Amino acid sequence: SLAMVLSNLGYRFTAVMPDNVSPERTELLRAYGAEIIYSPGEQGSNGSIAMAKEIVANDPAYLMLFQYGNEANPRAHYETTGPEIIRDLPEVTHFVAGLGTGGTLMGAGRRLKEFRSKIEVIAAAPEPDDRIQGLRDLEEGFVPPILDLNMLDRRIMISGEESFKQTADVLRREGVFAGVSSGATLAAAMKVAERLDEGNIVALFADGGWKYL
């Protein structure tokens, strides 16, 4: 999104990403004219964040918008995603989303709890030492500044294998071509449903599947 917007505005854009991201993601950024700097894949997005901060510290020409610490991230979901859920399903009892930057969970979650405090906000996260693209393992030591863990009612750990299975199943059964992190979100939502006699669960799919072919 940043690459697209900045291309239209005439700004140069540099993306720092792990070197094991999907080829589709790289090609899309290049199509928008972005420069790409790769960080070691085994360090995940934490390594990318550290490298980007170092680049910015050494070159004042850069501005780092830093989605992990930018209050505009949760505010966008507070102003749009949360109200959309309330409009379309006012009977919502549980909200499940992937734990990435934390923006979706914090913004939509805060708006939902203002609407009805008993609505549970639940994060889908990868199991320790398991990598699911788009999701964050807090045990690695980096907690996004915008993330308030006190707002989460639960964190449900999902394996990479389970995430891929649900991603494939929802495509085959429902024709929904979602990303891998969405498979984890669906798996977490199903675990929530197993413990309920009744309820209305909203599971947010944050990404399409074509970038993970």
Side-chain angles (χ1 to χ4, degrees):
S1 298
L2 286 173
M4 176 185 68
V5 171
L6 295 177
S7 175
N8 280 309
L9 292 176
Y11 290 101
R12 293 171 59 192
F13 177 62
T14 300
V16 183
M17 305 190 298
D19 60 18
N20 56 0
V21 298
S22 64
E24 293 88 353
R25 192 182 298 266
T26 294
E27 292 306 315
L28 177 62
L29 284 165
R30 284 188 174 142
Y32 282 122
E35 177 189 359
I36 299 172
I37 298 175
Y38 291 110
S39 60
E42 67 273 11
Q43 297 177 9
S45 58
N46 284 352
S48 299
I49 293 168
M51 182 178 287
K53 285 183 172 180
E54 184 179 348
I55 291 170
V56 171
N58 293 325
D59 189 343
Y62 281 105
L63 170 67
M64 185 172 177
L65 299 182
F66 194 38
Q67 65 265 43
Y68 296 94
N70 192 326
E71 283 300 320
N73 179 353
R75 186 169 69 245
H77 293 284
Y78 179 84
E79 294 176 354
T80 61
T81 313
E84 180 181 346
I85 294 169
I86 293 167
R87 182 195 68 204
D88 291 350
L89 188 67
E91 302 84 8
V92 56
T93 58
H94 298 74
F95 175 64
V96 185
L99 179 53
T101 65
T104 304
L105 285 160
M106 294 298 99
R110 180 159 62 92
R111 182 66 184 87
L112 290 171
K113 283 187 175 290
E114 287 176 359
F115 174 68
R116 189 184 306 112
S117 61
K118 290 185 178 180
I119 295 174
E120 291 192 22
V121 177
I122 300 157
E127 289 184 350
D129 300 322
D130 205 347
R131 296 208 180 278
I132 301 173
Q133 281 198 37
L135 297 189
R136 171 158 303 283
D137 178 7
L138 298 182
E139 278 62 37
E140 289 183 348
F142 176 72
V143 178
I146 60 174
L147 182 63
D148 178 5
L149 293 174
N150 293 321
M151 189 179 293
L152 298 179
D153 293 283
R154 265 182 282 169
R155 254 194 306 159
I156 297 178
M157 304 298 187
I158 304 296
S159 70
E161 183 179 359
E162 199 173 6
S163 174
F164 275 104
K165 179 183 182 303
Q166 294 301 339
T167 302
D169 283 355
V170 77
L171 173 59
R172 187 176 67 253
R173 295 177 181 174
E174 305 292 342
V176 175
F177 191 28
V180 181
S181 66
S182 300
T185 300
L186 178 58
M190 292 173 68
K191 290 181 186 294
V192 172
E194 288 170 359
R195 300 172 59 179
L196 293 178
D197 292 323
E198 60 179 356
N200 292 291
I201 303 169
V202 171
L204 188 140
F205 288 8
D207 202 4
W210 63 270
K211 283 188 289 187
Y212 306 93
L213 285 170

